[in-house]
Every structure is written in C-alpha cells, then in structure tokens.
Amino acid sequence: MANILELLSAPGLHAVRPLVGPLDAGEVTGVRLEARPDRLAAIPAGTVAVLLAPVPGHLLDVAVRDAAAAGAAALVLTGVTEAPHGLPAEVTATARALAERGRVAVLYADGDLAALVVAVERAVAGSAADALARVAAAAREVTAVAGDPDQVATAAGRALGLPVELRAAGPGEEGAAAAGPDGEIRLAAPARPGHAGEAVRSVLALAALAAAGGGHGDVPVRSRGRLLAELLVAPQDQAARLAARGRALALPVDGWHIALRVEAGGLDASNRPKALDAVMSQALTLLRTWDGTALPTTPAAPSAPAPRSAEAVQWNAALVDDALVLLSTWPADPGADGRRATLARARRVVDRLAGLRPEAGLRCGVGSSHRGPLGIRTSAREARAAVPRGAGPAVAAHDAVGLDRMLLEWYASDTAHEAVSELLSPVLALGPERAEPLLRTLQGYLDHNNSPARAAEALHLHRNAVGARIRKIVQLTGADLNEPDVRLALQLACRAGLSAAPANRP
C-alpha cells in the first residue's frame, strides 16, 4: 500500500495538510478515529490515527511519542489554532523532534472527518471505488487544462498519485497516445495491479485525448472556426445555409460584428498558415480575457475602454487565405465606443503577439461594425482593405468616409504643410521620439472633446499622463485649446501629420 505522501494525492484528501514528520516512512494499513489520545499506544502499525478533539501541547508530545511507539503511519490533528509561523500552536519543538525520530507524520485536517476516514479507507483498500474516484477527479482536472500537454500530465499524475510523463511507455509501465494537431501525444505512468491499474489506464487514455484535443472547449471552437472560414469565402447565395449551421454550433451570426484581420507579412507564404495557427489560440485567450475582465494594466498602460457589456462580447477566429480573422460579435450596435474598444484591443493583442513572434511582421486591419451573416463578410472585407502596407502603424481601422485619404491629399500641398509645421513646430523640434507621443495625445484629447479621461482610455494612458502631456504642448505652442478655431486647426494638423509619418503608439 502507499505511504502518506502517495495517500495524500487520493481524492478527498487534498485538504489534509502535512505539518511535521516524514511522509514516506512506511506503508499505510488503515485508519482509525480516536477520541482519547491515551489509547494511541495500542493502535495497529501503519494506522492513520485521526484525533477527534484538540490536544494541548504538553499532551501532544505524549501522543506523538505513543503513536511512534505503536508504529503509526500518521497522527491527524483537528480543531487546532494556527500560530503565526503556520503550524498549529499546539505543535511544540518537542513534538516535532519526536515525530522525526519516531518516523510518524503529523497532519492537520478540518471539516468532515467521516468523509476523511472514508477517503483514507478507500485509498488504502485500492478498491473499485478508489479507482472510480481517481478517474472522476482526473476528468475534472485534465479537461480544465486540455490542450496543454505538460499541465495535463501534471493533473493526471495528481489524480493518480503517480508520476505521469510525456513520453512512450517503457517496460513495466502503462501508456496511452492520441493524435494531436502537431503530432502524436504519448503519456506514460507506472503500472499498478488490480483496480488501481484500471484507474491508471483510464486516466492515461482520457489525459492523452485532452492533451491532444486543444484548449478547454476547443473542439466546438475549432468547429465554429471552420464554419466561419466557410462563411467568409463561400459564394453569397450560400450564406443562409451556412448561417443556419452557425446557429446550431452557437456561432453568433445574427449579432453585430467587427472583424480583425491579422497578416504575417514577414514570413513567406509556406510558413504563414502554421505561424498564424500557432498565435490564433493565444489571440483568442487574450481577447476573451480582456473582454471578460479588465484589461491587464501596467503603470504606463491602464486598461482600454471596456465594452458596455463585457460578457456579451464573443470572439471567434478562422484562418482564411493566409490570414487570421478574429471576429468580435455584439448583441447590439457597439457604436463609437465599441469600435474604439475593439481597435484598442487589436493594437494591444498585436503588440503582445509581435513580442512573441517578432519575425512574423504582424499587421492588422479592423473593419467597421455590421449586422448579420453578411455583415461578417462586409466587416472582414473592410478589415482586409485596412491592413497597413509598408511602413507605419501595425494596426489600422477601416476609413469608412475616406477622411484620412482626404487629409493626406490636403497635407501634400505646400500651403497646408507650412501651416501644420508652423502650428506644431515647437513640438516637432523635440525630435520624432519625443514629439510623436505628444502629438498622439493631443489628437486623442481633441478627438474626445478635451476630455482627459476619455483620451486616457483610448490611448492606454493614465489620466494624469494625458494632463501632463497636454500642459507640455500648451506650454510649447502657446495654443488656447478653448478656442474652437485653434482646436480644429490643431486637430487637422495632428491627423495629417501623424497619418503621413510612421507611428508608434504612446
């Protein structure tokens, strides 16, 4: 039978906490509830003795000595008060020394002691009930980390109380394998006789499938992804049929959609699909995390504006013609705030992914919001047209009214160029690295009607940082931002100047 260390991995015993004494001294043979510590000297060797009431420190020394003399495997304390150092206040230095010398583990448990005794008896017996409990525990744990072979192996080993490794089984071992997206996943664990062996084989088979099958809930996600890819490339007359299939797979085709298209321009055509497939799950995880909770923050980059109902935004993804399409779906028209939030998330996710795959040369276009199955296709077309080409920002939004194009044409004239230079010359004189963050902050501030709070949300800056930059700009230019004509001139100058030059976000 297992020692205490192996026993503690059994279902129902995870809340039992080791305190002092060795956990691998000998085999466990049974369990007993003891109301009186003075009877411990008579318990059978290998017993786990569970004390029903707290034992004062001076009597605990005697209890540990008696348990050790009887050859007990462990002494379980209950209902004791913890001291600041993390051990129960009743565990004295003498008790610790007795436990180490007598080779008896001292544990602590709280809660349902009857359930504790049943769990120990079940584990000691190695019965069918223990095997079933371990399989049930594994089913809960490995599915929660499905798609990550290392974590799946760890979870399976925790449920079995045995080491589970990512490799082919050798002599005297049990093994299981399943085909994954990147090849075969193989798991191995020590063989066990009887019901314990059945548990090992069942858990390994389940774990191999979980490790190979993708992240939690990934099977339906991949099915929706394939359908989304079909919907994007199929002839328009097939949209109704595909939409019906999408509803059956819980793909929210009838909502309002904003598409993001991510391309890997830094890779050759043969390597793009694999690279984009590798980042797809990372992108979905980031976007769903940011829309399910607050965006991750740093002192220099507070969260982007949250959607009006974060839980209502759904994200799906598909690989289409050497590009990754990420689709956000809303139950109602997201409006300007939703479009800004989606653009902010696109910038943030491309930043994160570019840090992981700098060689990919990731670029992203963001479409406008459109409704229904055909709206998915429309927004995806807009996102494709918006993908930046050549130098410039890595993320760009669809310019529905052609404003950026008109501004660039206007800025190309000598008169306009001179006017912009004159307005912004004190800022431009700082050099590109210092001037560009100031100009982007000024643009965001003016675009949001002189609101530091809304500009901070859009720019991923702290409100105080926005205020400090605006004060710096006013100090340099002498501009009165309360004057409508001055605001309009500066707003046009910022938009034209920043659209014409390569840009980095603040």
Side-chain angles (χ1 to χ4, degrees):
M1 178 47 213
N3 56 34
I4 291 296
L5 182 61
E6 295 168 327
L7 183 75
L8 293 180
S9 70
L13 297 179
H14 298 303
V16 179
R17 186 157 62 90
L19 298 178
V20 296
L23 301 180
D24 57 354
E27 292 188 347
V28 179
T29 60
V31 60
R32 176 180 294 190
L33 287 170
E34 282 293 350
R36 294 176 53 183
D38 58 352
R39 295 178 178 174
L40 290 172
I43 63 174
T47 297
V48 175
V50 182
L51 297 177
L52 291 175
V55 180
H58 67 286
L59 293 180
L60 180 59
D61 297 347
V62 178
V64 173
R65 183 193 61 200
D66 289 348
L75 184 63
V76 182
L77 308 182
T78 60
V80 296
T81 303
E82 282 197 4
H85 47 67
L87 294 177
E90 289 83 353
V91 178
T92 63
T94 302
R96 183 199 302 261
L98 287 168
E100 293 291 344
R101 188 166 59 248
R103 307 293 288 164
V104 59
V106 180
L107 314 175
Y108 174 68
D110 201 359
D112 189 344
L113 297 183
L116 168 66
V117 170
V118 170
V120 174
E121 287 181 335
R122 186 176 61 209
V124 169
S127 62
D130 178 63
L132 182 60
R134 290 182 184 275
V135 172
R140 290 191 299 272
E141 293 198 30
V142 302
T143 53
V145 292
D148 187 326
D150 290 320
Q151 290 195 49
V152 167
T154 299
R158 190 164 50 242
L160 289 171
L162 300 170
V164 174
E165 299 179 1
L166 281 165
R167 57 176 175 80
E173 294 182 322
E174 298 288 354
D182 299 318
E184 191 173 54
I185 300 291
R186 297 181 179 183
L187 294 173
R192 288 290 185 266
H195 297 299
E198 292 295 335
V200 171
R201 288 186 286 274
S202 299
V203 170
L204 287 181
L206 175 65
L209 289 172
H216 182 59
D218 196 55
V219 173
V221 166
R222 288 184 179 271
S223 298
R224 290 195 292 270
R226 286 192 290 268
L227 180 62
L228 176 59
E230 280 191 70
L231 188 58
L232 290 170
V233 301
Q236 186 168 322
D237 58 5
Q238 297 182 22
R241 176 181 60 83
L242 293 171
R245 286 176 52 198
R247 295 182 190 101
L249 286 172
L251 181 67
V253 295
D254 298 309
W256 285 79
H257 313 284
I258 300 177
L260 283 58
R261 181 184 176 93
V262 180
E263 297 183 2
L267 301 175
D268 58 56
S270 62
N271 291 322
R272 287 173 198 159
K274 184 176 181 179
L276 291 171
D277 184 58
V279 303
M280 178 167 63
S281 61
Q282 295 170 314
L284 282 174
T285 298
L286 290 170
L287 291 166
R288 288 168 176 167
T289 299
W290 294 341
D291 272 336
T293 59
L295 273 169
T297 62
T298 66
S303 64
R308 282 175 290 184
S309 177
E311 293 182 356
V313 181
Q314 298 186 46
W315 286 94
N316 288 281
L319 292 174
V320 182
D321 55 24
D322 288 348
L324 170 61
V325 175
L326 299 161
L327 186 72
S328 66
T329 302
W330 309 63
D333 186 351
D337 287 343
R339 291 193 294 275
R340 280 194 293 269
T342 304
L343 179 59
R345 280 156 173 74
R347 287 171 172 162
R348 200 169 182 88
V349 77
V350 169
D351 268 350
R352 186 73 61 86
L353 296 177
L356 297 173
R357 301 295 297 264
E359 77 285 358
L362 297 179
R363 290 283 188 267
C364 177
V366 182
S368 303
S369 59
H370 296 275
R371 188 177 186 180
L374 296 180
I376 296 175
R377 298 159 66 98
T378 302
S379 188
R381 283 197 300 270
E382 292 177 349
R384 181 172 187 165
V387 175
R389 311 295 175 187
V395 179
H398 175 65
D399 182 17
V401 297
L403 178 60
D404 287 342
R405 186 174 62 254
M406 289 188 292
L407 282 171
L408 286 173
E409 292 174 358
W410 168 74
Y411 186 65
S413 69
D414 292 339
T415 303
H417 196 279
E418 290 174 6
V420 170
S421 298
E422 183 178 347
L423 278 170
L424 301 178
S425 59
V427 178
L428 297 174
L430 298 173
E433 291 187 2
R434 295 179 60 191
E436 188 176 317
L438 292 176
L439 296 181
R440 288 199 171 276
T441 303
L442 177 59
Q443 179 184 326
Y445 179 76
L446 295 172
D447 286 350
H448 291 88
N449 297 319
N450 291 20
S451 169
R454 294 184 64 189
E457 290 179 348
L459 294 167
H460 304 300
L461 292 171
H462 194 279
R463 179 173 176 172
N464 291 344
V466 172
R469 291 184 182 185
I470 295 301
R471 288 192 295 274
K472 178 72 171 177
I473 292 167
V474 170
Q475 179 185 4
L476 290 169
T477 64
D480 183 356
L481 299 184
N482 293 316
E483 286 291 330
D485 290 345
V486 173
R487 290 202 307 270
L488 176 60
L490 287 171
Q491 194 169 19
L492 291 173
C494 286
R495 281 183 172 272
L498 290 170
S499 296
N504 300 310
R505 286 187 300 283

